[in-house]
Amino acid sequence: MLFSKKNKEVFVNPLSANNPVTVQVLGICSALAVTAQLKPAIVMGLSVTAILAVANVVMSLLRKTVPNRIRIIVQLVVVAALVTIVSNVLKAYVYDVSVQLSVYVGLIITNCILMGRLEAFALQNKPWDSFLDGVGNGLGYAIVLVIIAFFRELLGSGCLFGFQVIPECVYECGYVNNGLMLLAPMALILVACIIWFQRARNKDLQEK
Amino acid sequence: MNTNSNSYTVIYASVMVVIVAFLLAFVASSLKEQQDKNVELDKMKQILSALNIHDVEDPEATFNAYVEEDQILNLNCTVKSHKGGFKVSAKSADELPLYVCNVNGETKYVIPVSGAGLWGPIWGYVGLNADKNTVYGVYFSHEGETPGLGAEIATEKFQSRFPGKHVLENGDVSLGVEKNGKVSKPEYQVDGISGGTITSKGVDAMLKGCLSRYKGFLNN
């Protein structure tokens, strides 16, 4: 069965109840770095999803052969190789996007979500399950990034996707963009707000 | 098989490294040509932006149509070569690239500039009128300045403050960026970006530093 009940859970859980950013609190660093605008946040979310899915499958295929003592190194090599390939392909075929993402593509290597999922899931599960887990966690990460980027770009520069959405007349009445929104600390505060909101609604996540 | 033995671990690591090395070398070398081409096309687009030509479909053809010579100047600003300046980096220590362009029958010069912002390098191109003193257009870009603050130097809004400004004041480069509201010489200075002070200062230093190297040419 491609979509058994367990597989469905593997895919859906990371989207909310076990979200990598807001519940597992992984990948916070890149959530700060790329969320000042929506476009890089979306490209980053999709890149992480693609790389995480492929890395999960590769590690899952290798799981019975990997020597236990160097498994973290093997995971790093797999992720680093994939990221280098993706970054090269972006540079060759969508140069504009790669310029915009600049160093952030390389930063995917250091994203804790990748190591976390490889170590916690792919090394114990079959390739198909691992693939679903990778896509689910990648999308869970992407959703949070997009939510943060939406508020940061809207309140910080009055734009969405680079287009002005707050009309000029509002500025004339004395409204100013909130510069703090564009700095990293505000991303943390927004992450905290999302966590607060999520815990308030989902009783299972609340500590006793 | 015992996957925890020393020899297995060593062999596994070696084989993995060799495979990955070949894979990456293959990808890098097969995409290299395309990537270099992209970098060149991007550079052409940037130079055209300094001539106020934006959104070109075919950068190479447009570039060849507008740019007549990509000269190389010696440090004393005598012409070393009339061709090949495109390959010279703006950071080159002993050669100065200079683009001589023709826009609608008027001669324009484009000078590349490079410097440092807050987080990383910034660079750009300054287009000058035939009098070698009045700014025709500018282009700035950056590697990783703060979006919404320092990164604003790459926007039309900031760059449109430059055209019409003068470069030289009594033979020295005076074109620059001054803190918002502190502009004392409006014919040479533009307003900086609030919240992007260090990047604005970087642009100021970049313009003064790089254009000064061309003084022999500009004063001529």
Side-chain angles (χ1 to χ4, degrees), chain B residues 101-123:
Chain B
C101 318
N102 187 325
V103 181
N104 303 329
E106 290 172 43
T107 306
K108 309 282 178 200
Y109 300 98
V110 175
I111 296 174
V113 292
S114 69
L118 171 59
W119 304 114
I122 54 177
W123 65 93

Side-chain angles (χ1 to χ4, degrees), chain A residues 122-184:
Chain A
L123 282 177
Q124 285 95 40
N125 290 282
K126 295 203 185 88
W128 174 246
D129 300 9
S130 302
F131 176 77
L132 288 178
D133 179 77
V135 175
N137 275 283
L139 290 179
Y141 169 78
I143 290 172
V144 176
L145 245 63
V146 169
I147 296 175
I148 301 172
F150 175 83
F151 286 110
R152 287 183 75 187
E153 191 173 3
L154 182 67
L155 300 176
S157 14
C159 307
L160 288 177
F161 292 105
F163 294 108
Q164 195 74 33
V165 288
I166 296 182
E168 205 56 43
C169 55
V170 181
Y171 288 101
E172 277 157 19
C173 299
Y175 174 81
V176 276
N177 288 328
N178 185 348
L180 184 60
M181 273 289 168
L182 297 169
L183 301 174

